[in-house]
Amino acid sequence: MTENEHHHRIVVHRSLRDQTRLVLIGEFDMAAWHVLQEAIHAAVATDSGRQFVVDMAEVTFIDCGTVNILLLERDQAAATGSALSIVNPSDQVRQVLALTGTQSHLLAPATRSRLLLATDGPAFVLRALREPADPSSPGRNGRGGHYRPVTDFLVEDASASMIDLQGRAAGQTVGARLLDLYPSILSTGVFDAYVNVLETAKPYESARQGYHETVDGVLLRGSIPLRARAVDPDRLVVIWQNDNDPEPA
């Protein structure tokens, strides 16, 4: 285990299979660069030719310098016949990887959304954010446990080609709450449609879904083809097409 007085820690697990897992915990900024490099160097020197996965589920902060180190170490590991990739990225890590355009270089293939990799147009992976469990609230729709209403969605991933009505690219939306990005989905019924997809597991499709957004102080209206389907009880994939220009309301 590698740690110091700063708020970061690295735990190395060597499995019996051909894999070494480095678990990163806490904040990884300039103060952690040397520690991270040394941990990866030591692991690769000990287990050359193995698969190295960097588990970042418990990382609360990451800067661009850390991303650059991971890219460099990935290339150096490849030179020794090893492979290095990120698994279980936290929301903050996903956001920085999206901003730097390095998802496809660093994320393990199983970590990336296969649907987004296969999608040419704009698409989101959304994760439901729910109220805390209320013991007095009964189960719903035949599901066990207590019902927890969806209060918002987190943009967990976005297709690389995505540009929204306000000109935001994927890196500017990953890690954000959907209602902060698009508050009008409450009044247009889109939010309720997404919740219903999770509740019923039935896909939603609209040939012309209406929307309205304020861009640079101007209210714009339009309609787009929109599809959504659940991929698990708390996640859905949303795919749309920007096939026309919005008009002032």
Side-chain angles (χ1 to χ4, degrees):
M1 180 171 64
T2 302
E3 60 182 323
N4 60 20
E5 69 275 12
H6 298 288
H7 301 290
H8 54 259
R9 187 154 55 101
I10 301 172
V11 182
V12 180
H13 299 283
R14 187 179 187 276
S15 70
L16 294 177
R17 300 167 61 185
D18 293 332
Q19 184 184 96
T20 297
R21 180 176 293 257
L22 293 89
V23 180
L24 275 56
I25 303 168
E27 302 175 2
F28 283 80
D29 54 13
M30 184 184 296
W33 292 353
H34 179 71
V35 174
L36 178 60
Q37 281 187 306
E38 286 297 312
I40 296 176
H41 284 168
V44 173
T46 302
D47 296 320
S48 179
R50 290 167 65 91
Q51 179 185 10
F52 296 88
V53 294
V54 182
D55 190 325
M56 305 189 78
E58 298 184 63
V59 172
T60 56
F61 178 83
I62 181 176
D63 63 4
C64 292
T66 301
V67 174
N68 288 334
I69 287 172
L70 290 169
L71 288 169
L72 176 63
E73 297 301 328
R74 179 206 61 169
D75 292 342
Q76 292 185 349
T80 68
S82 304
L84 184 145
S85 59
I86 291 173
V87 297
N88 303 325
S90 65
D91 293 337
Q92 208 277 339
V93 171
R94 280 190 180 275
Q95 186 173 15
V96 173
L97 294 181
L99 282 168
T100 56
T102 54
Q103 306 103 307
S104 62
H105 300 287
L106 286 173
L107 288 182
T111 304
R112 306 173 211 151
S113 168
R114 292 185 179 89
L115 285 171
L116 292 193
L117 289 173
T119 300
D120 293 330
F124 279 150
V125 175
L126 303 179
R127 174 163 57 85
L129 302 176
R130 298 179 180 272
E131 290 183 358
D134 180 0
S136 65
S137 177
R140 182 170 170 175
N141 294 340
R143 298 179 304 179
H146 300 291
Y147 177 62
R148 299 172 58 203
V150 176
T151 58
D152 205 342
F153 290 91
L154 187 80
V155 180
E156 198 168 67
D157 206 352
S159 57
S161 62
M162 193 222 85
I163 298 290
D164 72 3
L165 181 62
Q166 299 199 29
R168 292 175 294 215
Q172 296 169 286
T173 59
V174 173
R177 290 172 177 257
L178 197 65
L179 289 177
D180 288 341
L181 295 172
Y182 312 109
S184 70
I185 64 173
L186 280 173
S187 60
T188 58
V190 171
F191 184 86
D192 289 340
Y194 291 169
V195 172
N196 189 63
V197 169
L198 292 181
E199 295 288 330
T200 65
K202 294 180 180 178
Y204 173 79
E205 184 167 356
S206 175
R208 303 306 312 176
Q209 173 64 55
Y211 66 84
H212 57 83
E213 296 292 342
T214 300
V215 179
D216 296 329
V218 178
L219 179 62
L220 301 177
R221 295 184 184 275
S223 62
I224 55 173
L226 180 69
R227 291 178 290 147
R229 73 180 185 88
V231 292
D232 65 39
D234 278 311
R235 286 175 176 81
L236 52 87
V237 171
V238 177
I239 303 172
W240 70 95
Q241 295 178 11
N242 295 325
D243 63 348
N244 62 8
D245 294 325
E247 298 180 353

